[in-house]
Amino acid sequence: MTHFDFAILGGGSAGYAAARTAAAAGLITVVIDGAEPLGGLCILRGCMPSKTLIESANRALSIRRAAEFGLTALPPVPDIVAIRERKRVLIDDFASYRQGQLADGRFELVRGNGCFIDAHTLRVTPRDGSATYPITAASVCITTGSEVNVPAIEGLADVGFWTSDDVLDASALPASVIVLGGGAIALEMAHYLEAMGSRVTLLQRGPQLLTGLDVACSDVILSAYRQRGMAMHCSTQIQRVSKATNGLKRINFSDEAGSHFIEAEQILVAMGRGPKTQGLGLAEAGVELKGKKIAVNESMQTTQSHIFAAGDVCSPLDVVHVAIQQGEVAARNAQALLAGGTALESLDYRGLLFGVFSQPQVAVVGGTEASLTERGVPFIAASYPFSDHGKSMVMGETEGFVKMLADPVTGEILGASVVGPEATELIHEISVAMHFRSTVRQFMIIPHYHPTLSEIWTYPAEELAELLD
């Protein structure tokens, strides 16, 4: 029976980060992954392909607005096949690079699926159909990622639906689409579909888009999408899905105004993703769940101290940079345990980043007003609108605002949010400031070039500094 210091279930972003970190530390490491092709969600069906399509959507919206800038342009005519082929070329390049990294010999790569027989033994089922076999490991990291969440709605399975996977590789798009969901995936896919010419209706269960973020951020997106002609419905409850006599797909739903139905060529289920834990034999290993996700502590240990988890299967936020950090921390802590150490590294979520590539974009770092209030953390807040910011006005991108939160005594920046142009880029300035525990007074003396989008952050910082005086 083959024995390893460190075995990793899954070769996506978290798994690869754990593997290269462990191998660099001298651990005899194996990655077990039965996916075809290799690469992980972000590269193959998540971040990179979706942002590739969204770049085409952004340019289509710019062409629509040409007259506003004194330019004449014909209405954009999307070539969905060409857009898809551009995406495929890019993703093939990204994936082949990751596949090369996984197979470059620093650690062993096993093409198959693994599940626990006990806390130190894994049964491997090879992709090629050959006989299963066991391996043992002193330490294990579970990085199996997530899978599409499909709700139990009457008639949905019978009528049929798309997920984001279908949108990402479609050669043609439906004339009309009903999007189920109000999170990042739903808003990004709605943005792409509408920009490509589909008529979009969005149904969100909760009272706001992007649950957990400031309602003001949600309101900006809601207004912007409605101005683009999308029908947006929040606080909805879906009763059933059926096939209409005209061949369209019908959804009966209710909201605060009563009962309704809508029809469209296609339904897009974009209600998030859930952790991929089925078939792993977690019970046999003594690994427990917290809700649907694997329970971990701040050191990425599960309920078995030598078994770690990282990425979407356990993370408080399913984003790649966090998954990578978690994988690295898990590997370093596995090495520390094997060396007999007791002081383990912890992951710091103080500067947690989140971004949505909608139009306009949304991004958040650190605490929000709601999260700080829930934790009983005192704060002061200040915001500034893009509609009163010079560079934003020149760009014609005036929707939204920036908001900064600070400690009312020390002035340390506790969090920030932005909804507006290039939000996912702008947020990093505050991320860096928070990393170094900058106060608003320290932030104010950092030079900002004029005119730039970035200098908008100086206005809430100045207001917060005045509140501290």
Side-chain angles (χ1 to χ4, degrees):
M1 187 183 300
T2 307
H3 181 77
F4 295 91
D5 295 327
F6 195 46
I8 301 163
L9 293 173
S13 297
Y16 172 67
R20 63 170 168 73
T21 304
L27 301 187
I28 301 171
T29 302
V30 60
V31 174
I32 304 167
D33 194 315
E36 183 58 42
L38 285 172
L41 172 66
C42 175
I43 291 175
L44 298 174
R45 300 181 307 282
C47 319
M48 303 312 293
S50 65
K51 304 315 173 281
T52 303
L53 301 191
I54 285 170
E55 283 302 319
S56 295
N58 293 342
R59 282 156 175 74
L61 293 190
S62 294
I63 294 171
R64 286 185 193 176
R65 298 178 59 191
E68 182 182 335
F69 297 88
L71 303 172
T72 300
L74 296 174
V77 180
D79 183 339
I80 303 303
V81 171
I83 292 171
R84 183 187 67 175
E85 290 311 304
R86 176 176 183 268
K87 183 266 303 183
R88 284 182 173 179
V89 169
L90 287 168
I91 299 313
D92 285 348
D93 184 41
F94 299 148
S96 62
Y97 184 72
R98 174 53 50 82
Q99 290 156 11
Q101 291 177 311
L102 287 165
D104 65 9
R106 286 173 292 172
F107 42 82
E108 187 168 334
L109 174 63
V110 171
R111 300 295 281 116
N113 296 310
C115 69
F116 288 98
I117 298 173
D118 59 45
H120 284 280
T121 310
L122 294 162
R123 180 174 63 248
V124 176
T125 303
R127 267 190 59 85
D128 62 12
S130 57
T132 63
Y133 60 91
I135 66 170
T136 59
S139 215
V140 180
C141 188
I142 305 167
T143 64
T144 46
S146 62
E147 55 194 354
V148 172
N149 175 44
V150 179
I153 298 173
E154 180 185 340
L156 180 63
D158 296 330
V159 170
F161 57 89
W162 274 10
T163 68
S164 58
D165 291 354
D166 298 295
V167 177
L168 295 177
D169 211 43
S171 59
L173 296 178
S176 54
V177 184
I178 303 168
V179 178
L180 304 185
I185 297 172
L187 295 180
E188 290 179 357
M189 291 296 95
H191 165 39
Y192 170 68
L193 289 165
E194 193 282 329
M196 294 300 104
S198 296
R199 188 172 67 256
V200 174
T201 301
L202 185 143
L203 301 183
Q204 160 70 329
R205 290 175 298 182
Q208 69 168 85
L209 305 175
L210 299 170
T211 302
L213 270 62
D214 284 345
V215 174
C217 291
S218 168
D219 289 345
V220 171
I221 302 299
L222 194 68
S223 174
Y225 276 30
R226 282 176 172 161
Q227 287 180 24
R228 287 172 58 180
M230 296 186 229
M232 309 290 288
H233 302 273
C234 294
S235 299
T236 66
Q237 183 174 353
I238 298 174
Q239 276 85 42
R240 63 185 177 278
V241 177
S242 59
K243 198 79 169 179
T245 55
N246 56 10
L248 298 178
K249 299 178 181 183
R250 174 180 291 184
I251 295 183
N252 288 79
F253 72 99
S254 61
D255 59 17
E256 295 171 346
S259 297
H260 320 272
F261 74 86
I262 49 175
E263 296 175 350
E265 284 189 14
Q266 190 55 268
I267 297 169
L268 171 62
V269 174
M271 302 175 77
R273 301 180 66 89
K276 196 172 182 179
T277 59
Q278 293 298 314
L280 296 179
L282 299 181
E284 285 75 8
V287 173
E288 298 177 5
L289 300 179
K290 183 178 182 181
K292 294 183 179 180
K293 295 199 171 191
I294 293 176
V296 291
N297 62 16
E298 65 278 2
S299 300
M300 306 315 300
Q301 292 170 295
T302 69
T303 45
Q304 289 279 10
S305 61
H306 70 286
I307 299 177
F308 299 82
D312 294 0
V313 78
C314 67
S315 183
L317 187 61
D318 296 352
V319 291
V320 171
H321 74 279
V322 173
I324 291 171
Q325 288 178 299
Q326 291 171 335
E328 292 169 344
V329 167
R332 288 193 289 266
N333 285 339
Q335 192 275 337
L337 287 180
L338 289 173
T342 56
L344 300 184
E345 184 178 340
S346 297
L347 199 67
D348 180 11
Y349 292 115
R350 182 177 56 88
L352 202 62
L353 273 166
F354 176 63
V356 184
F357 292 76
S358 48
Q359 184 65 16
Q361 297 179 2
V362 187
V364 179
V365 63
T368 63
E369 291 193 45
S371 68
L372 293 176
T373 299
E374 182 179 348
R375 289 159 44 201
V377 178
F379 65 89
I380 50 177
S383 62
Y384 198 84
F386 281 105
S387 61
D388 192 45
H389 181 54
K391 182 59 184 295
S392 308
M393 297 165 71
V394 167
M395 294 172 62
E397 301 286 352
T398 56
E399 294 173 308
F401 60 89
V402 295
K403 179 182 289 186
M404 188 180 291
L405 311 176
D407 186 288
V409 177
T410 67
E412 180 179 343
I413 300 171
L414 301 177
S417 57
V418 48
V419 53
E422 301 297 342
T424 56
E425 301 291 341
L426 288 176
I427 199 65
H428 288 87
E429 181 168 355
I430 309 304
S431 177
V432 171
M434 288 184 62
H435 180 79
F436 292 102
R437 295 190 176 275
S438 170
T439 67
V440 291
R441 289 193 179 98
Q442 290 169 329
F443 185 87
M444 281 176 56
I445 65 175
I446 300 172
H448 285 74
Y449 198 79
H450 175 78
T452 60
L453 288 176
S454 295
E455 64 180 335
I456 194 172
W457 287 115
T458 62
Y459 300 118
E462 182 179 0
E463 183 178 337
L464 291 173
E466 291 175 354
L467 291 175
L468 294 169
D469 292 336

